Amino acid sequence: MKFKDTYIGSILSATGSLLTGMKVTLKEFFTRKVTEQYPENRKELKISERHRAMLTMPHDKDGNNRCIACGLCQQACPNGTITITTRTVTDEESGKSKKVLDSYIYDLGACMFCQLCVNACPKNAIEFSNDFENAVFDRNKLIIKLNR
């Protein structure tokens, strides 16, 4: 029979575990606390660059985006928060048909910010922004049309 398996050994083991927890608690008790006054300190608030807050579709100065309407982001999304509507346009000069993006609807309220849609996009047409203030009173305002 080992000493750990005895009654006294289990009491000593439990006491050691308790002292370890108390050491951590006392260390945190005496560290200096930092309180962020959120609404007042918006200007100096630093959000990490890797923070995923809202899906955006960057546009150039002419209002064009890089989306080729392939639908890979819609297929990669596990929650179905992205809905893409496309139409087929035939080029008059070459006679070739091409898919064109009609609408890109993003449901921010159902998004779990996993970034699978961004990783699946072959043209880097969508990305996450750092805009973290997304509180609204009406859930319908969380459904956003990303293309203009």
Side-chain angles (χ1 to χ4, degrees):
M1 183 183 252
K2 295 180 182 177
F3 181 71
K4 286 184 177 179
D5 297 333
T6 64
Y7 180 73
I8 303 286
S10 64
I11 289 175
L12 291 175
S13 174
T15 305
S17 176
L18 177 69
L19 290 175
T20 302
M22 292 301 292
K23 182 177 93 175
V24 171
T25 302
L26 285 173
K27 184 177 87 173
E28 285 300 315
F29 182 75
F30 290 110
T31 57
R32 186 171 187 275
K33 306 300 183 272
V34 177
T35 304
E36 293 282 340
Q37 300 296 328
Y38 164 63
E40 291 83 23
N41 71 346
R42 284 186 185 149
K43 291 189 177 27
E44 61 266 1
L45 187 63
K46 300 292 184 221
I47 301 296
S48 171
E49 291 297 321
R50 294 175 16 178
H51 177 71
R52 302 176 196 151
M54 185 175 171
L55 196 64
T56 59
M57 181 177 284
H59 292 79
D60 61 7
K61 59 186 170 196
D62 298 329
N64 300 324
N65 56 37
R66 292 182 286 207
C67 184
I68 57 172
C70 64
L72 290 176
C73 55
Q74 183 178 1
Q75 292 174 356
C77 182
N79 287 355
T81 61
I82 298 172
T83 306
I84 296 176
T85 307
T86 61
R87 60 185 158 92
T88 305
V89 176
T90 305
D91 189 17
E92 296 162 359
E93 295 174 5
S94 64
K96 294 182 179 179
S97 60
K98 177 182 173 183
K99 282 173 71 172
V100 177
L101 181 67
D102 240 0
S103 68
Y104 193 101
I105 307 297
Y106 168 60
D107 186 3
L108 177 63
C111 184
M112 62 184 197
F113 311 103
C114 63
Q115 202 172 4
L116 291 174
C117 57
V118 175
N119 294 339
C121 184
K123 297 291 183 180
N124 295 327
I126 53 176
E127 61 188 24
F128 275 102
S129 71
N130 251 353
D131 302 332
F132 63 94
E133 293 180 344
N134 299 321
V136 292
F137 287 108
D138 186 14
R139 187 167 170 79
N140 292 329
K141 291 182 181 177
L142 295 176
I143 299 173
I144 305 163
K145 183 175 180 180
L146 293 183
N147 64 323
R148 298 180 192 158

